[in-house]
Amino acid sequence: MSWTDERIATLRKMWEGGATASEIAAELGGVSRNAVIGKAHRLGLKARPSPVKANEKKKAAAPKKSVTPAPKPATEARSESGGRGTAPAAAERPAARPAPAQASPAASGGGASSTPSQPVPNPAPDLPKIVSVGPGGFLRQGPGDQQAPIPPAPPRRLVPAKPSPEIADKTSLLDLSDKVCRWPMGHPGEPDFHFCGEPVNPGFPYCVEHCGRAYQAQLPRGVRRPPPPLPFGGPRVR
DNA sequence: CCCTGATTCGC
DNA sequence: GCGAATCAGG
């Protein structure tokens, strides 16, 4: 599986949104958690609460893999991608993951989506920002923080090329704005993946219909909810 | 044990 | 560039 533009875009989005590498790998499919991390680093985006790097002092002795590997007990069988059946359901995470407010260095030179400054002041700068990853691996936002994640509306006419004629009239990742519904249709990486694109329910990132899907009232325990959410596009076929 | 991200290094 | 192997903290 290669890193297409779409897959990289999904990786970027989810990574910056605070999704774990495992979740991203599960969403993308065909790649391991390590691959996601490695790619993220190669893309220049990193800096995220790392359990290992939490307490870093100044400089530690570099543990290098020398040419003379120490005799290690044969504790092999590290299964990565196929081993543990980590639930791919990133959608129904009960607790939202706090997104660390980080200054993106934007190391990529030709990066098209560089957002150096935030023109719109955050109405509630003191409140902890809650960002969770919704179905399809895009960011689920609280109704309050509607600051434009994609501030400049991309010049539509200068888009280099349509990925495929199938989605020519559909809402692609580049077409997203805070005016259109961001509900994903299909799965990222699939040829006809697109977004809903209907006008949003004002104050929400989705249209009225998908707001009904995204924000569901908490029902008492034991109450059976007739249709299991069934995120979008149906179960993944893989 | 499980999870996490970081790093190294052979390919 | 890619990602498995490995490391290391929670």
Side-chain angles (χ1 to χ4, degrees), chain A residues 60-70:
Chain A
K64 277 181 118 165
K65 270 196 240 177
S66 65
V67 288
T68 55

Side-chain angles (χ1 to χ4, degrees), chain A residues 137-154:
Chain A
F138 70 98
L139 303 188
R140 172 176 290 158
Q141 305 176 341
D145 63 354
Q146 198 53 21
Q147 74 275 25
I150 308 177

Side-chain angles (χ1 to χ4, degrees), chain A residues 129-194:
Chain A
K129 186 176 176 185
I130 301 301
V131 173
S132 64
V133 177
F138 70 98
L139 303 188
R140 172 176 290 158
Q141 305 176 341
D145 63 354
Q146 198 53 21
Q147 74 275 25
I150 308 177
R156 296 278 288 103
R157 293 170 299 154
L158 297 182
V159 180
K162 296 289 184 184
S164 89
E166 295 182 281
I167 63 170
D169 55 342
K170 300 194 176 134
T171 303
S172 78
L173 187 66
L174 296 178
D175 297 325
L176 285 183
S177 76
D178 50 355
K179 299 279 192 291
V180 302
C181 178
R182 310 162 116 69
W183 193 266
M185 316 287 281
H187 296 281
E190 289 172 0
D192 62 339
F193 175 67
H194 62 283

